[in-house]
Amino acid sequence: MIGAIADDFTGATDVAVALRRRGIRTLLYFGLPPQRAEAPEHDAVVIALKTRTVHKADAVARSLRALRWLRAHGAAEQVYFKYCSTFDSTPDGNIGPVLDALADAMDVPIVPMTPSSPEHGRTQYNGYLFVGDVLLGESPMRHHPLTPMTDSYLPRLLEAQSAYRSGVVTLPHVRGRGVERRLAELRGQGVRYAFVDALEDDDLMEAGRALAGAPLVAGAAGLAGGLAAAHARTRAGAGHGGAPAPEPSGPAAVLAGSCSARTLEQVHHMIEAGRPAYRLDALADQNADSLARGALAWYDTLRQGTGAPLIYSSLEPAKLRRVQEALGVERSASILEAAIGRIARGLVERGVTRLVTAGGETSGAVVSALGVPGGVIGAEAARGVPWILPSSGPALLLKSGNFGDPDLLLEASLADPRN
Ligand SMILES: Nc1ncnc2c1ncn2[C@@H]1O[C@H](COP(=O)(O)OP(=O)(O)O)[C@@H](O)[C@H]1O
Ligand SMILES: O=C(O)[C@@H](O)C(=O)COP(=O)(O)O
């Protein structure tokens, strides 16, 4: 059984659907599951944590609690630590400390990993991470509000955060079926973290084959898909988890707190298409309650037939910087996340049954405010962006900041006559 621990909520849905696509029956929990979780039959559990940007000690403690839960529930045969395909973290960030803690707790000498996700344009070559055709540090990720990425060399990024050394399994090792040999070599050199190069899905499939027996693996959803494919090949009855996923229906609303380049395009697209849109302005009002009240009062004035509305705080880099300079990075984010959480609650009270949220931290705030414990993985609105169907409450589409075509937010909130 695979047990995945994801460092944010959109990442959790991304890895959950990567497993399910390969026929692995996957349960998704938001936060630590209850001790005696009643659950249908499953082959994998994904625990979504919001640990990407919290304090280090907190991230470590929560991740270790998740590991203990997985072990206690027989779901730790292989543990997968899911981080972002753009390695979102700061030099003081949490990927290193969490990996150090998991590897120590599991007594694992070497942890293979890669953020490569070619279907999203993330590739790793000679240990460098590319986003599309540029290095990570030259991509729009350098302007991320909380985790600006200005370096692209993965071993250096991780070593700045970890007590241990990192190395690279290069492409010739992957393509020459030499991953296991190279891992043994790196281990002999005292390296604890091995970044595996992958340019194409086939490289991830090969890495998955080679790493199917590794107790602790890490990375983005791409490598989890490679592992799932390897497990599905050896498992009787594989394919059972790939049944068609249900599509939710009902009134929709879109909440965007991501300032990533792709979300900005998607927000712009919705506004251009004439959807009613309301911007949360933290410079004008620093009180989360009154920001939320303002947005909900605006929502109450909307007439039927306008299409699902958009409530957003997304700003392009120069304007975002001005807000952050005036209010502080953490303070502005926490005001907006609190406001969006309250708005989500208000929308559900007003009859919204499909909530689309853009941004990992933002999604975490929405799910926590709604108190959703987890859900079934539904149809994918875009690659890596599945609907999540909780046993009660609204269907949720938690969209990673950089995922989806420019029309995703518009399209995902269509398709209901009441909108
Ligand atoms: N106008 C703004 N000013 C300051 N911070 C903002 C603004 N809009 C959004 N944020 C914050 O930026 C962060 C975006 O992160 P996140 O939701 O994870 O998006 P992404 O998926 O693109 O990383 C959130 O903490 C959000 O509250
Ligand atoms: O790996 C990825 O890119 C995503 O699964 C992910 O983690 C997204 O995080 P956000 O961009 O913060 O939504």
Side-chain angles (χ1 to χ4, degrees), residues 232-243:
R233 276 196 297 274
T234 57
R235 194 163 296 189
H240 43 189

Side-chain angles (χ1 to χ4, degrees), residues 7-8 10-12 14-15 52 82-86 88 115 117 120 122 141 144 220-221 258 260 358-361 384 399-403:
D7 72 348
D8 87 340
T10 46
D14 185 19
V15 73
R52 195 172 282 177
K82 161 70 178 67
Y83 55 68
C84 191
S85 62
T86 41
D88 295 15
S117 264
H120 296 299
R122 279 69 150 143
M141 283 307 295
H144 191 279
S258 163
S260 292
E361 298 298 322
K399 191 202 79 75
S400 155
N402 277 307
F403 284 6

Side-chain angles (χ1 to χ4, degrees), residues 47 50 73 77 79 90 93 103 116 120 141 147 168-169 192-193 208 232 269 276 282 288 307 330 340 414:
I47 300 180
K50 194 173 182 296
H73 291 79
E77 231 169 282
V79 173
T90 61
S116 172
H120 296 299
M141 283 307 295
T147 52
V168 179
V169 178
R192 199 167 202 194
Y193 300 119
H269 196 83
E330 278 187 28
I340 284 194
L414 276 179

